[in-house]
Amino acid sequence: MEFGWLLICSVLVFLMQAGFLCLETGKIRSKNSINVAAKNLADFIVCTVLFWLFGFGVMFGDSLWGIIGTSEHLFGANQSPWQIAFFFFQLMFCGTAATLMSGAVAERMSFAGYLVVTVLLCSVIYPVIGHWSWSGIYQADNPGWLEAKGFVDFAGATVVHSVGGWVALAATIVIGPRLGRFNKQRQFPVGNNLPLSTLGTLMIFAGWFGFNGGSTLTLNDQVPGILLNTCLAAVWGGLAASALSYAHKRFIDVSFILNGVIAGLVAITAAAHCVSPAAASLIGAVGGVVMYAGSLQLERWRIDDVLNVVPAHLFAGIWGTLAVALFGAPEKLTTGLAFGQQLAVQLFGVITIGLYCFGVSFAAILLLNRYLPLRVSARNEHLGMNVSEHRATTELLDLLSSMQSQAKRGNFSLSVPVEPFTEVGQIARQYNQVIQRVRDEMSERDFAIDNFRSSEKRKSAILESAMDSIITIDFEGKIIEFNPAAERTFGLRKTQVLGKRFLDLFILDEDRQLVAHSLEHKFSASRGLLLNRRNTIILQRNSGDEFPAEIAITGASLGLQSESEYTLHIRDVTRQRKLQNKLKQLAYSDPLTGLYNRTYLLENLQKRLDRSSADGQRVAVFFLDLDRFKKINDTLGHKAGDELLLEVAARLMRVTRATDTIARWGGDEFVISMAGNLTEEAVLTTASKILDAMRAPVLLNGRELKIPTSIGVALNTDNTLRAENLIQQADIAMYFAKEDGRDNVKIFQPEMANQASRQFHYEQALRIAIQEQSPFVVVYQPKVDAKGTIVSLEALVRWHHSDGTVISPGQFIQVAEEANLIIELEKLVISRVIHQVALWRNKGLQPIPVAINLSGRHLLSRELYGFVSELLDQLQVPGEWLEFEVTEGVFVTDIVKCIEILTTLKQRNISIAIDDFGTGYSSLNYLKTLPVDVLKIDRTFVEDCAISREDGKICDTIISLAASLNLKTIAEGVETLQQFEFLRNLGCNEFQGFYFYRPMPLEDIEALLEQLPAKQLSNQLLA
């Protein structure tokens, strides 16, 4: 069918209507999308009606002077199928021209006004211009006047697109820009659905193949070239516009891609049939450039063309019409005109058509606008033309309406409706989440406000009832809050101080400048009162009395950087200061003597040592220990001991300097520290003064006693010594003074520390030796009567050290006592002695009594009697074969308990001897009550008894006393015949010493016992 190609192309061009609808709907705001769609459909309806009634006739009817057609009205009754197909094809062109204006005047032109202007275009403008340019294509012998001059517009770059563009420009100028379009303070929104606009552009692109391809009116050899040129021009137009947009804005603006493609299509429309593909590409690219430049110019002119219809269709159409002359092949134009003539005709046609279209449309629209306002009201424009023009709505409008209603009422308790599975529904859902969060925040805010009010009430109550003074001042120091406690503290009422400066009322004159400096720097300066710290200062009351105070300052900003409030929490610490001083005194003083205690001494000594490293002075420490103080304390009682310590403190204060520090270290130990240009000679002189003062007799409980004192001195030799180290050195030196006979002074030497270290290791070795038992050996020293006959033995222990040396009791007994090992050691000796006596009996020897030395600690322990009794019973050894020697100092510790324990031992027939009698503090009353059998005269009296009248008299007194109490006497340490004869003449019963026998090992004692007759031994036991 010869008309089939026209019908196909008509359908393609009709597709462009849908494309323009999608393009325009996507490029405008959603609140106007329904209005735009309605206009696109309505203008096609109006166009179709008018074109069928008379438009086609005006355009293609019999020409009247080449200006207007006069026939072919109410088309279709008597025409052929081809003519009907041609009508249908031209109807699509008319519809395209009519729909262009819609995109330019969108979002503010009323629906009715738009339809009126559409009637104007479809009845008065488009058909007339069409007749001028195209009348001859329907009837070859019926050309329009422009067509007759050789004007060429192949597919309507000017006839269709420029005509629509001119009318759109006139309408845009008359109705003006959209509200806020050229407001530089905010960017105007562009489109609501660019993907839809892109789809519309692609549909227009596809429809344009029918637009240009169908203009051949038949499917011939020109069609493929026309379609190629159409495609190339479109893509080059889009590329050129995109490049310019990126060069100008530095990003790809999608709108310019779309409009560039359309501009390329419009530009090639006039010459698609007569140019080469390369020329088509250039025409399309230039069309894109013209469109971009035209859109910028409209912006400058403040002409609001929503879809850039004027640049894309009018400006690009003009360029395309002129390009016919510039690039068209003369043989394809068939006008017979030269290049210049053709260009002149093309230019003349463009100008003529422009003047007619713009002049008629602008005058008509201006006149219409006077009687029929073409623009909607500002309110309706703001509301959106979907609602204002059609009472139609969208999901987005419903959402916005709900949101606006909530905003007006201030009621956010209800959620907006949610349309599922849509973008707007997602927005609504998200909005509801935001509103829910707002509701939650409002609830929390209300809760916080309630809490704040409650808190304020509580704070007010606290402020009123607080015991501390709470004063609030402003940034100038003026008082704005003054609680009742402050009124009581400072003696002024709140009404008297409000508005007055705190510094002037309560800060002392000498502190006022410093506190003012602190306030000026918001209590953050390096000196003065500090924020969020406990500051100590002296304040004054209204009466002028001063008192120590602690101030804690907190700040609150009022929003302005220069203005703040400060709350002063003030506490009168007068009582606390007194208590602190008392506590400090208690913490640093010895409660008995009033001297400094150990804590203060250590702190003070360390400070002196630190200073000495700077000033080059030396520090000396004197460590004093009262010799035999425990015996005095135990003998005369603790009260007498306390009196003695007080006397010692008084004497020490008399012989030391005011700058020296005297401290009671503990018990009977005192420490003195002094600093200065000290030498060993100087400290020895000071120590001698101390010893002389301590040697003076003291009267206690009616007794005149001496206070022998051992002193250790340590001097700092370098700057590395700590206080503890220096005191330790003095302590070590003091023990060496004791070992050197007591009542003297020793200066610390490094070797002393080494010896002390050895002593420590000595103690450890002793502990191990007691556990192993084997290193200890028991030797025996015989005792004789006046005839020289052996009557008993004394068991003495020796320690065979791992280094091969034999250590006597005098060297390790004291260590054992200090290390609490004495009981274990004495148990070892007692066990061995009882086992040995049993062994002698089993060998057929008649054992003689064996004396064992017993410490006071062991005697008073709970386990002595049970341990001894168990051994005696187990080995069946009679108690009369044992004798325990106890020093007299033990009895003064607890005489009642001593009597009790000794009595139980006596029940086992065990003899009790008082060792070293005469050296302690025994009394006749003790001797009367204690169940003892023997008095042993100490070797210190025996040594000079034969040559010293005093010692001889003491020995005589002891022997006479024992005889009067029916006690036996034993003299120990007898080493000469003269001593033996003197004591024997005094009536001493037994003797022990090197003059008779030295301590002997076990085998020698057994040999000695075997030489004694059994009868003699029996008589000795009976005696």
Side-chain angles (χ1 to χ4, degrees):
M1 293 186 298
E2 60 179 0
F3 52 83
W5 176 242
L6 272 179
L7 293 177
I8 293 173
C9 290
S10 298
V11 173
L12 289 175
V13 177
F14 182 72
L15 182 64
M16 291 173 65
Q17 291 291 328
F20 280 115
L21 188 148
C22 292
L23 173 63
E24 295 173 15
T25 303
K27 286 293 292 294
I28 53 91
R29 290 172 288 182
S30 59
K31 65 180 180 178
N32 301 308
S33 59
I34 295 175
N35 177 258
V36 169
K39 286 176 180 177
N40 272 268
L41 180 59
D43 64 33
F44 186 76
I45 294 172
V46 171
C47 168
T48 302
V49 171
L50 294 178
F51 197 71
W52 175 75
L53 287 174
F54 58 85
F56 184 83
V58 172
M59 189 168 180
F60 294 104
D62 295 336
S63 180
L64 178 63
W65 305 316
I67 297 176
I68 188 170
T70 57
S71 61
E72 302 293 336
H73 302 303
L74 299 175
F75 189 85
N78 301 312
Q79 282 75 18
S80 66
W82 183 90
Q83 290 175 323
I84 295 174
F86 181 81
F87 168 83
F88 190 65
F89 184 67
Q90 291 300 323
L91 173 62
M92 298 302 108
F93 275 45
C94 183
T96 300
T99 200
L100 294 180
M101 184 183 62
S102 172
V105 298
E107 300 195 311
R108 75 268 201 199
M109 191 173 190
S110 67
F111 187 77
Y114 175 77
L115 292 182
V116 171
V117 176
T118 300
V119 170
L120 173 68
L121 186 148
C122 293
S123 60
V124 177
I125 298 176
Y126 177 75
V128 173
I129 299 301
H131 187 80
W132 292 358
S133 305
W134 283 351
S135 178
I137 64 175
Y138 183 65
Q139 301 179 60
D141 58 350
N142 190 42
W145 70 273
L146 273 177
E147 185 180 10
K149 288 181 177 293
F151 179 76
V152 177
D153 186 0
F154 175 66
T158 291
V159 174
V160 176
H161 297 283
S162 290
V163 167
W166 284 116
V167 176
L169 177 61
T172 303
I173 294 173
V174 171
I175 66 174
R178 291 167 290 175
L179 296 175
R181 171 62 180 86
F182 296 106
N183 186 350
K184 295 182 179 180
Q185 296 181 354
R186 66 183 182 92
Q187 185 177 1
F188 198 81
V190 179
N192 72 95
N193 195 337
L194 285 179
L196 181 62
S197 295
T198 304
L199 174 62
T201 303
L202 290 174
M203 294 172 70
I204 293 171
F205 199 156
W208 221 286
F209 291 126
F211 203 93
N212 288 352
S215 294
T216 60
L217 303 181
T218 182
L219 184 59
N220 56 28
D221 293 341
Q222 287 184 295
V223 171
I226 292 172
L227 297 184
L228 176 60
N229 289 343
T230 301
C231 182
L232 290 174
V235 297
W236 277 100
L239 181 61
S242 301
L244 289 174
S245 173
Y246 181 78
H248 183 220
K249 299 182 178 180
R250 309 310 300 173
F251 71 93
I252 301 297
D253 191 330
V254 178
S255 296
F256 283 109
I257 298 177
L258 305 182
N259 286 327
V261 169
I262 293 174
L265 291 170
V266 171
I268 198 61
T269 298
H273 67 301
C274 63
V275 297
S276 66
S281 300
L282 180 59
I283 292 170
V286 174
V289 173
V290 169
M291 181 279 305
Y292 189 81
S295 65
L296 295 182
Q297 190 59 49
L298 291 182
E299 285 278 343
R300 297 188 190 98
W301 290 339
R302 301 175 70 87
I303 295 175
D304 184 14
D305 182 355
V306 178
L307 266 68
N308 278 328
V309 171
V310 173
H313 294 269
L314 173 57
F315 297 165
I318 293 173
W319 155 247
T321 303
L322 296 176
V324 171
L326 297 175
F327 299 100
E331 66 274 12
K332 293 183 179 180
L333 291 176
T334 68
T335 61
L337 299 176
F339 172 78
Q341 293 174 326
Q342 187 66 55
L343 180 60
V345 169
Q346 295 297 112
L347 181 59
F348 177 75
V350 168
I351 295 173
T352 303
I353 293 172
L355 289 174
Y356 177 77
C357 292
F358 183 76
V360 172
S361 60
F362 183 77
I365 293 172
L366 195 62
L367 183 63
L368 284 171
N369 191 49
R370 179 173 297 180
Y371 298 102
L372 175 65
L374 301 179
R375 180 169 183 155
V376 298
S377 65
R379 179 181 178 278
N380 288 340
E381 183 178 344
H382 178 74
L383 179 63
M385 298 176 70
N386 294 347
V387 175
S388 64
E389 292 280 290
H390 310 288
R391 301 297 184 265
T393 185
T394 63
E395 298 170 11
L396 182 59
L397 289 175
D398 291 339
L399 174 61
L400 293 174
S401 177
S402 298
M403 294 167 64
Q404 188 175 17
S405 176
Q406 286 184 334
K408 286 182 177 180
R409 298 177 182 177
N411 180 10
F412 298 95
S413 60
L414 299 178
S415 301
V416 298
V418 176
E419 185 70 24
F421 313 116
T422 63
E423 291 183 356
V424 176
Q426 294 179 6
I427 296 173
R429 185 180 299 107
Q430 189 66 34
Y431 175 77
N432 286 336
Q433 292 177 1
V434 173
I435 291 302
Q436 182 60 45
R437 180 63 183 269
V438 170
R439 288 198 292 264
D440 294 342
E441 292 290 340
M442 291 175 65
S443 298
E444 292 178 5
R445 182 198 63 182
D446 293 341
F447 180 73
I449 291 174
D450 292 340
N451 283 344
F452 175 76
R453 289 170 178 166
S454 300
S455 176
E456 285 299 305
K457 291 180 180 179
R458 289 193 295 270
K459 287 180 181 178
S460 178
I462 292 172
L463 192 66
E464 295 297 320
S465 61
M467 300 300 293
D468 290 342
S469 301
I470 301 177
I471 302 174
T472 302
I473 62 175
D474 63 14
F475 65 98
E476 294 180 338
K478 295 180 180 178
I479 298 173
I480 56 179
E481 187 57 63
F482 203 75
N483 76 332
E487 293 180 342
R488 294 190 295 270
T489 300
F490 292 99
L492 288 170
R493 298 186 62 81
K494 179 178 180 179
T495 54
Q496 296 175 281
V497 299
L498 288 181
K500 297 181 180 179
R501 282 170 50 86
F502 176 82
L503 282 69
D504 299 334
L505 293 176
F506 307 123
I507 300 296
L508 300 181
D509 293 340
E510 57 267 26
D511 296 331
R512 194 164 295 153
Q513 183 176 357
L514 181 60
V515 176
H517 175 77
S518 300
L519 176 61
E520 181 182 352
H521 290 81
K522 300 182 179 181
F523 298 105
S524 300
S526 59
R527 58 193 183 93
L529 303 181
L530 293 176
L531 203 65
N532 300 319
R533 296 288 189 274
R534 293 177 64 180
N535 303 278
T536 302
I537 193 173
I538 302 298
L539 300 178
Q540 63 182 3
R541 308 183 201 275
N542 184 47
S543 61
D545 296 337
E546 299 177 1
F547 67 96
E550 284 184 355
I551 302 181
I553 306 172
T554 56
S557 176
L558 300 181
L560 296 177
Q561 209 171 27
S562 61
E563 296 187 7
S564 299
E565 289 183 357
Y566 302 98
T567 300
L568 313 180
H569 301 260
I570 302 174
R571 176 173 296 177
D572 184 347
V573 294
T574 303
R575 295 181 59 186
Q576 288 88 330
R577 287 287 179 85
K578 292 180 179 178
L579 180 60
Q580 286 175 358
N581 293 335
K582 182 62 177 178
L583 291 175
K584 186 175 181 180
Q585 181 183 1
L586 293 175
Y588 286 155
S589 300
D590 175 55
L592 175 63
T593 63
L595 300 176
Y596 291 116
N597 62 7
R598 181 181 303 192
T599 301
Y600 179 83
L601 175 71
L602 288 172
E603 293 182 7
N604 178 263
L605 179 57
Q606 187 58 54
K607 291 178 181 178
R608 285 190 168 182
L609 289 172
D610 294 339
R611 285 197 301 268
S612 70
S613 62
D615 56 25
Q617 293 188 339
R618 300 185 73 183
V619 178
V621 171
F622 297 76
F623 200 105
L624 288 70
D625 183 84
L626 306 183
D627 299 326
R628 302 184 184 278
F629 173 76
K630 187 175 185 303
K631 288 188 176 181
I632 296 175
N633 212 19
D634 295 340
T635 305
L636 302 179
H638 291 286
K639 183 178 180 181
D642 291 345
E643 292 178 1
L644 177 60
L645 293 175
L646 288 170
E647 178 61 24
V648 169
R651 293 185 182 187
L652 292 178
M653 293 178 68
R654 287 197 295 268
V655 297
T656 54
R657 303 172 303 180
T659 57
D660 300 336
T661 300
I662 310 172
R664 183 184 175 197
W665 188 253
D668 60 344
E669 296 174 334
F670 295 83
V671 177
I672 302 172
S673 73
M674 57 179 60
N677 298 319
L678 303 176
T679 62
E680 289 193 3
E681 293 76 9
V683 296
L684 286 175
T685 301
T686 301
S688 298
K689 292 180 181 179
I690 296 173
L691 289 175
D692 292 341
M694 301 302 288
R695 287 169 182 156
V698 59
L699 188 64
L700 293 175
N701 289 353
R703 298 188 181 187
E704 191 177 83
L705 301 175
K706 292 184 179 181
I707 317 172
T709 305
S710 298
I711 303 176
V713 182
L715 281 160
N716 66 324
T717 56
D718 53 57
N719 297 330
T720 61
L721 278 179
R722 303 288 298 173
E724 297 84 354
N725 304 130
L726 198 61
I727 292 175
Q728 182 183 20
Q729 291 180 358
D731 190 13
I732 292 173
M734 182 272 294
Y735 275 103
F736 275 85
K738 282 185 175 293
E739 292 179 2
D740 196 31
R742 303 176 186 269
D743 197 27
N744 63 80
V745 61
K746 291 290 182 182
I747 296 179
F748 174 80
Q749 302 297 331
E751 179 58 29
M752 293 180 178
N754 297 333
Q755 291 187 30
S757 177
R758 288 195 295 271
Q759 185 78 1
F760 173 77
H761 295 301
Y762 197 56
E763 178 183 321
Q764 302 304 312
L766 179 61
R767 189 181 304 276
I768 296 173
I770 292 175
Q771 293 176 353
E772 295 176 352
Q773 297 187 359
S774 57
F776 292 100
V777 175
V778 179
V779 296
Y780 299 89
Q781 185 178 25
K783 303 176 187 178
V784 300
D785 59 11
K787 298 178 180 180
T789 304
I790 297 175
V791 293
S792 62
L793 303 173
E794 181 177 2
L796 303 171
V797 66
R798 299 290 185 267
W799 178 15
H800 289 250
H801 197 271
S802 57
D803 60 5
T805 59
V806 178
I807 304 173
S808 66
Q811 295 177 271
F812 65 82
I813 290 298
Q814 184 176 356
V815 176
E817 288 184 346
E818 292 175 354
N820 292 324
L821 299 172
I822 190 65
I823 293 178
E824 296 299 321
L825 179 60
E826 290 180 350
K827 281 184 177 181
L828 173 63
V829 175
I830 293 172
S831 175
R832 287 194 179 181
V833 168
I834 295 177
H835 277 84
Q836 189 59 53
V837 170
L839 185 60
W840 287 337
R841 182 195 60 197
N842 295 338
K843 285 183 177 182
L845 298 176
Q846 290 293 332
I848 59 178
V850 180
I852 303 172
N853 288 287
L854 199 63
S855 66
R857 183 175 298 176
H858 198 182
L859 175 66
L860 297 176
S861 67
R862 298 178 180 179
E863 50 191 300
L864 174 64
Y865 179 77
F867 175 74
V868 173
S869 295
E870 183 179 354
L871 281 174
L872 293 177
D873 294 339
Q874 178 183 350
L875 300 174
Q876 297 182 353
V877 174
E880 55 265 23
W881 290 354
L882 286 183
E883 179 179 291
F884 286 133
E885 295 184 3
V886 184
T887 59
E888 60 178 332
V890 174
F891 302 126
V892 299
T893 303
D894 191 343
I895 185 62
V896 176
K897 189 172 183 180
C898 287
I899 293 174
E900 178 185 348
I901 293 173
L902 294 178
T903 301
T904 57
L905 292 174
K906 289 289 292 181
Q907 291 174 358
R908 295 301 300 255
N909 296 322
I910 298 174
S911 298
I912 305 298
I914 298 179
D915 197 11
D916 300 333
F917 186 78
T919 60
Y921 300 92
S922 296
S923 66
L924 293 177
N925 186 52
Y926 289 168
L927 291 177
K928 286 196 310 181
T929 56
L930 287 170
V932 297
D933 304 289
V934 180
L935 297 181
K936 291 190 71 174
I937 305 173
D938 187 72
R939 65 176 65 247
T940 56
F941 303 129
V942 172
E943 184 177 2
D944 296 325
C945 64
I947 58 176
S948 172
R949 181 178 178 183
E950 290 80 6
D951 289 345
K953 191 64 175 176
I954 291 173
C955 292
D956 185 20
T957 302
I958 293 173
I959 293 170
S960 299
L961 175 64
S964 64
L965 296 175
N966 294 321
L967 301 178
K968 184 166 60 175
T969 54
I970 300 177
E972 61 180 352
V974 179
E975 298 181 359
T976 65
L977 174 62
Q978 189 179 11
Q979 293 170 348
F980 168 62
E981 290 178 345
F982 180 81
L983 293 171
R984 183 179 60 183
N985 294 334
L986 291 178
C988 184
N989 303 108
E990 297 178 4
F991 308 88
Q992 178 183 355
F994 289 176
Y995 178 72
F996 304 102
Y997 298 98
R998 289 180 176 272
M1000 304 171 64
L1002 178 63
E1003 55 272 15
D1004 293 345
I1005 284 295
E1006 287 187 351
L1008 188 62
L1009 292 179
E1010 289 175 352
Q1011 298 174 7
L1012 296 177
K1015 182 177 180 180
Q1016 176 186 340
L1017 294 174
S1018 299
N1019 291 336
Q1020 289 168 356
L1021 290 174
L1022 292 174

